[in-house]
Amino acid sequence: MGILEDKSNARLFYKYLSKVYDQINSFNWNEEMRAEALSWLEFGDDPTVLDVGCGTGFGTEGLLEHADDVHGLDQSIHQMEKAFEKFGKHDRVNFYRGDAERIPFRDDTFDVVWSSGSIEYWPNPVEGLRELRRVAKPGAQVLVVGPDYPHNPILQRVADAIMLFYDADEADRMFEAAGYEEFEHHIQQATPQSPRAITTVARVPGGEETDDETRSTVADADPSVPDAK
């Protein structure tokens, strides 16, 4: 397990990275890549969308182009404070401080679940992927962006020491173990010199329309976010 797959280490890391995150993020994950990933999703009418590991809100900003009911979840208050500056705490987006492996929403709640740049920090990625599936409605799409495993042996050793990097074969294993039956992987890259991202679009099993009486809502989750310490 890499050093940043420890949640306390990841929170400390983002306490400082949050100050410059938006400036350096475009080297790995830019607006063109985000737009391409969004084009692989089916939003439908009036979708309810969850951004897991929303950070400073870069992915959230793209989701707001397709949905009005958007919710952001992150464990780092320092990252979310940057998102509050963009969207307000409860204005355009409802934010929640929480854990991707214990998402505070009912089953079958969201039409789209998005997570970009977060899975690499999860100590138990399969459990996190199960949680994304759990809170998504049957037949909904789940999109996950993570770092593609490097080909260079030296970079592989560095990657293994830091956090989770994975290739398509490992993505297959994780998504299958998490209960997904239908998914596809895409490799994205900002420039030929940039690190590669692996973006998986998965379909939650069961495509039947959920009856209005049995639909879950996001009301069980408390949208209050604690102040930074």
Side-chain angles (χ1 to χ4, degrees):
M1 179 181 290
I3 187 171
L4 292 181
E5 290 174 85
D6 178 279
K7 293 176 184 177
S8 61
N9 289 342
R11 283 194 295 270
L12 180 62
F13 175 69
Y14 272 110
K15 177 179 180 179
Y16 298 100
L17 184 64
S18 62
K19 303 177 188 301
V20 295
Y21 182 84
D22 285 342
Q23 287 71 42
I24 66 174
N25 185 49
S26 60
F27 181 68
N28 300 318
W29 179 243
N30 59 26
E31 292 182 3
E32 290 76 17
M33 296 167 71
R34 182 184 67 189
E36 182 179 38
L38 287 164
S39 74
W40 297 325
L41 295 173
E42 302 160 7
F43 287 92
D45 297 328
D46 300 320
T48 301
V49 178
L50 176 64
D51 184 0
V52 176
C54 61
T56 65
F58 181 75
T60 315
E61 186 176 16
L63 292 167
L64 284 167
E65 297 173 1
H66 300 268
D68 294 324
D69 190 3
V70 177
H71 303 259
L73 177 77
D74 203 280
Q75 69 161 343
S76 169
I77 189 64
H78 300 94
Q79 286 282 83
M80 286 195 293
E81 283 176 340
K82 299 297 183 181
F84 300 158
E85 294 173 7
K86 300 174 185 176
F87 312 113
K89 282 190 178 181
H90 309 297
D91 296 341
R92 300 185 65 199
V93 182
N94 282 316
F95 287 102
Y96 312 82
R97 190 177 183 186
D99 191 330
E101 295 171 9
R102 294 188 299 274
I103 297 176
F105 295 100
R106 294 183 185 178
D107 297 359
D108 307 339
T109 295
F110 295 97
D111 299 292
V112 172
V113 178
W114 167 287
S115 182
S116 54
S118 181
I119 188 174
E120 56 264 38
Y121 302 106
W122 302 350
N124 301 292
V126 171
E127 184 59 33
L129 292 174
R130 286 195 187 105
E131 278 290 275
L132 303 190
R133 178 173 61 84
R134 179 185 65 78
V135 299
K137 296 175 183 177
Q141 287 177 295
V142 171
L143 183 144
V144 177
V145 184
D148 188 46
Y149 197 62
H151 299 297
N152 183 294
I154 295 175
L155 293 179
Q156 289 176 354
R157 288 196 291 273
V158 173
D160 291 341
I162 298 174
M163 58 189 182
L164 175 67
F165 287 72
Y166 57 95
D167 59 13
D169 288 341
E170 178 64 8
D172 284 347
R173 185 197 69 77
M174 291 191 300
F175 276 83
E176 288 172 359
Y180 297 88
E181 300 170 0
E182 179 185 344
F183 49 83
E184 59 184 18
H185 312 302
H186 306 265
I187 297 299
Q188 297 183 276
Q189 193 170 22
T191 71
Q193 291 74 40
S194 300
R196 289 155 46 109
I198 180 167
T199 301
T200 301
V201 183
R203 182 80 63 179
V204 175
E208 298 294 326
E209 287 292 326
T210 307
D211 191 281
D212 286 341
E213 294 182 358
T214 62
R215 276 187 183 164
S216 300
T217 70
V218 298
D220 277 2
D222 181 0
S224 60
V225 180
D227 293 333
K229 302 295 185 183

